């Protein structure tokens, strides 16, 4: 169905680009043209609402990315082929000239050159430059005056200027990583891994004769909850995409990423993140709210009767990420018609240990700081409460867990036991580039994110744009990064690995040991 709809838009969109032939257009306002680019590439209006068009005569609605012109005739307007049907070049040079004969099988019979007025009639009323009524597959778009001006401004320069970060010889990618502060060593290790992946690509001739270049902005303050945002600085420097950044959760710059359509391939967020279906942020691993859902699903399979009595506790350290953790658990319980959990914020209330001793809960779902987990575990130990604790694997710190290790089940999405990836090639990669093993989770995450980016850039081809890169990320299916479970994205899927395993921390080795099979995320 989606392929058929894409085909309809492909046939319809061949009319959507031109340049006034009578006189050179006035220089386009870059800000206005930028709004037009969002309409053309992503199907988003000036105000951020979906672009809407209707297929005559039934008035079948097309909306958002499905209606975006770039989906069909290509982000640069040079044309494409879908289902064996040729979609011709709609760049200014192609539609700004008269045509004296038909081309191929499409409805672009002889016509005069398009003027701005004729183009708007084609877009909004379905009439060609010669006045002929266009076919029923041509959407009649609903555009405000602002949107009309923005789209025309962009179409006048369509295909003439490359996206940020693209030059004839380089593709520049950014990473927002802590290079100083307590997480500085982690960020430096991640940057070194990404640079090494790029070095391997460049040593093999690059991508379509372009070298990959990584620029890193120090994001130590953002990791520690300061308003300073390295992602914004990278976008201002002009990068094609971002990869392997590290952060606690959503940032103000996410709106800027969405506005510019710049994809970010994120190994993980330390405390939750954005995975909306229209977000440019692609997660390799589930964010923390998704892990909360997985924990509830695992408990519901084995302890549905207890959960119906309402014996689940959700504890977090406060803030937006803690609230998201609690809401995800509550929503998953409600979806299964189970009683809502008791929610406790450590920053607001002490642990009600006496009440828990009188009526022990089935389990506690915890997300937050290592200090908060330490407080929770020490309290349970003092009362000798046999309560299991579920927590994200980012909190699997031996110094924190200590002798409570058997009671803590960590949600680990990277694969353990039979699902553990074979890291022999990764070990050889590290040795070849003289990189020392360090913070393994972040080194592996950076490697996987860089491999995903390189694969999507390779598929996007020589005429890569941000929009086409996003499309090829969405098209990844069961991609093997070499260090993780297979990664699959989609138009409505921004988390590549949707599942996890339960694991405990081996006190002797400090390694995670699986205590469950793979738990796939139920829709």
């Amino acid at each position: 169905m989606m392929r058929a709809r894409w085909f309809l838009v492909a046939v319809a969109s061949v009319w959507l680009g031109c340049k006034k032939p009578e006189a050179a257009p006035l220089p386009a306002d870059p800000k206005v043209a930028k709004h037009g680019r969002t309409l053309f590439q992503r199907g988003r209006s000036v105000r951020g609402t979906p672009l809407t068009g209707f297929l005559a005569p039934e008035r079948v609605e097309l909306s958002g990315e499905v209606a975006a012109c770039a989906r069909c005739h290509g982000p640069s307007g040079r044309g494409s082929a879908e289902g064996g049907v040729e979609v011709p070049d709609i760049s200014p040079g192609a539609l700004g000239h008269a045509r004296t004969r038909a081309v191929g099988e499409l409805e672009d019979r002889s016509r005069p050159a398009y003027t701005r007025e004729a183009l708007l009639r084609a877009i909004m009323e379905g009439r060609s430059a010669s006045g002929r009524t266009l076919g029923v597959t041509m959407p009649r778009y609903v555009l405000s005056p602002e949107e009309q001006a923005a789209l025309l401004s962009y179409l006048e320069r369509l295909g003439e200027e490359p996206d940020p970060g693209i030059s004839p010889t380089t593709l520049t990618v950014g990473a927002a990583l802590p290079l100083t502060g307590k997480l500085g060593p982690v960020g430096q290790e991640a940057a070194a891994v990404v640079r090494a992946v790029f070095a391997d690509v460049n040593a093999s001739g690059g991508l379509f004769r372009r070298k990959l270049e990584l620029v890193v902005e120090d994001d130590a303050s953002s990791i520690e909850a300061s308003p300073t945002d390295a992602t914004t600085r990278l976008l201002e420097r002009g990068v094609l995409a971002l990869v392997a950044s590290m952060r606690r959760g959503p940032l103000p710059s996410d709106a800027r990423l969405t506005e510019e359509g710049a994809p970010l391939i994120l190994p993980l967020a330390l405390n939750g993140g954005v995975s909306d279906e229209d977000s440019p942020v692609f997660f390799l691993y589930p964010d923390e709210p998704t892990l909360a859902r997985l924990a509830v699903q695992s408990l519901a399979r084995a302890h549905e009767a207890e959960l119906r009595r309402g014996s689940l506790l959700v504890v977090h350290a406060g803030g937006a990420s803690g609230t998201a953790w609690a809401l995800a658990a509550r929503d998953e319980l409600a979806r299964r018609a189970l009683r809502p959990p008791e929610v406790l914020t450590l920053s607001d209330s002490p642990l009600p240990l006496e009440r828990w001793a009188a009526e022990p809960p089935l389990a506690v779902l915890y997300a937050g700081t290592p200090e908060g987990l330490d407080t929770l575990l020490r309290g349970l130990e003092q009362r000798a409460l046999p309560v299991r604790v579920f927590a994200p694997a980012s909190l699997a710190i031996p110094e924190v867990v200590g002798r409570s290790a058997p009671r803590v089940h960590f949600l680990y999405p990277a694969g353990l036991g039979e699902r553990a990836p074979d890291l022999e090639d990764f070990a050889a990669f590290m040795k070849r580039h003289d990189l020392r093993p360090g913070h393994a989770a972040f080194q592996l995450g950076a490697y996987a994110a860089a491999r995903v980016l390189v694969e999507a850039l390779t598929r996007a081809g020589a005429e890569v744009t941000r929009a086409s890169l996003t499309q090829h990320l969405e098209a990844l299916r069961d991609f093997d990064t070499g260090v993780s479970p297979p990664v699959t994205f989609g138009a409505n899927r921004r988390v590549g690995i949707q599942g996890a395993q339960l694991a405990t921390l081996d006190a002797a080795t400090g390694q995670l040991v699986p205590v469950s099979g793979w738990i796939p995320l139920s829709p």
Side-chain angles (χ1 to χ4, degrees), residues 152-243:
L152 290 176
S153 292
Y154 181 69
L155 290 173
E156 286 171 351
R157 58 202 295 181
L158 178 63
E160 296 177 359
E161 297 179 7
D163 275 2
I166 301 174
S167 81
T169 58
T170 60
L171 297 174
T172 303
V173 177
L177 291 164
L179 302 178
T180 56
K182 63 182 181 181
L183 291 176
V186 178
Q188 291 171 18
E189 288 171 0
V193 168
V194 175
R195 285 199 173 97
V197 173
F198 287 5
D200 281 350
V201 175
N202 293 339
S204 299
L207 294 175
F208 305 98
R209 300 184 181 180
R210 292 188 178 109
K211 300 292 185 182
L212 287 173
E213 178 182 277
L214 180 71
V215 294
V216 181
E217 284 283 347
D218 187 0
D219 211 20
S221 56
S222 179
I223 289 293
E224 297 175 7
S226 164
T228 304
D229 190 345
T231 298
T232 298
R233 298 196 297 274
L234 287 165
L235 292 173
E236 289 172 350
R237 288 181 65 170
V239 296
L240 171 61
L242 292 90
V243 66

Side-chain angles (χ1 to χ4, degrees), residues 225-504:
S226 164
T228 304
D229 190 345
T231 298
T232 298
R233 298 196 297 274
L234 287 165
L235 292 173
E236 289 172 350
R237 288 181 65 170
V239 296
L240 171 61
L242 292 90
V243 66
S245 296
M246 186 190 306
R247 62 188 194 172
R248 289 197 179 277
L251 295 172
S253 58
D254 287 345
R256 177 89 177 259
L257 286 170
T258 298
E259 180 185 349
E260 297 196 13
L264 162 60
I265 304 168
L266 195 66
L268 66 147
L270 299 185
N271 270 345
V274 175
S275 55
D276 295 337
E277 61 185 38
D278 195 37
S279 169
V281 182
F282 290 81
F283 287 87
L284 295 186
Y285 299 108
D287 56 12
E288 289 189 354
T290 303
L291 295 178
R293 289 185 58 203
L294 282 166
V296 171
Q297 290 177 8
S298 175
L299 285 166
R301 291 188 187 102
H303 302 282
E304 183 175 345
E306 292 95 324
L307 289 177
R308 290 195 180 282
R309 295 195 294 269
S311 58
L312 182 65
L313 300 175
V314 176
V315 179
H316 62 85
S321 59
T323 300
W325 171 264
L327 286 175
R330 183 187 298 272
D331 290 346
E332 187 62 29
L333 287 164
R335 194 170 71 89
R336 295 170 176 272
L338 300 172
R339 289 184 61 180
E342 177 186 344
V343 178
L344 176 69
T345 304
L346 283 179
S347 58
D348 297 337
S349 307
L351 296 174
L353 296 174
E354 291 186 10
R355 178 161 57 84
W356 291 357
E359 189 177 348
L362 170 66
V364 177
L365 272 59
Y366 174 82
T369 63
E371 294 78 11
L373 179 60
D374 180 75
T375 298
L376 173 63
L377 294 179
R378 299 298 82 79
L380 294 175
E381 286 176 5
Q382 289 172 11
R383 293 284 181 165
L385 295 176
V387 178
R388 283 183 297 169
V389 176
F390 292 76
S394 58
L395 294 172
I397 303 169
E399 296 80 8
V400 172
V401 178
R403 60 186 181 184
S404 293
R407 79 160 74 234
V408 186
H409 287 186
F410 292 103
L411 293 141
Y412 187 74
L416 291 167
E418 293 182 356
R419 295 188 66 92
D422 183 354
L423 299 181
E424 184 176 339
D425 289 344
F426 177 74
F429 161 86
M430 295 286 285
K431 184 176 181 180
R432 185 169 66 252
H433 291 280
D434 197 25
L435 298 177
R436 295 182 179 180
H439 298 82
F442 295 98
Q443 289 176 317
L444 291 169
Y447 181 84
R451 286 283 309 275
V452 166
L453 174 66
V454 169
E455 178 67 16
L457 286 169
T458 302
R459 296 186 187 192
E463 293 191 1
V464 62
T465 65
R466 284 172 169 172
S468 67
L469 178 57
T470 298
Q471 290 174 22
H472 286 285
L473 283 168
E474 291 177 345
L476 283 185
R477 298 290 183 273
D478 294 323
F479 175 68
D480 182 10
T481 68
V483 297
S484 73
V487 174
T488 295
F489 293 121
N492 299 315
R493 174 171 167 164
R494 289 298 189 263
V495 180
I497 299 166
Q498 298 202 348
Q501 288 171 271
L502 299 179
T504 57

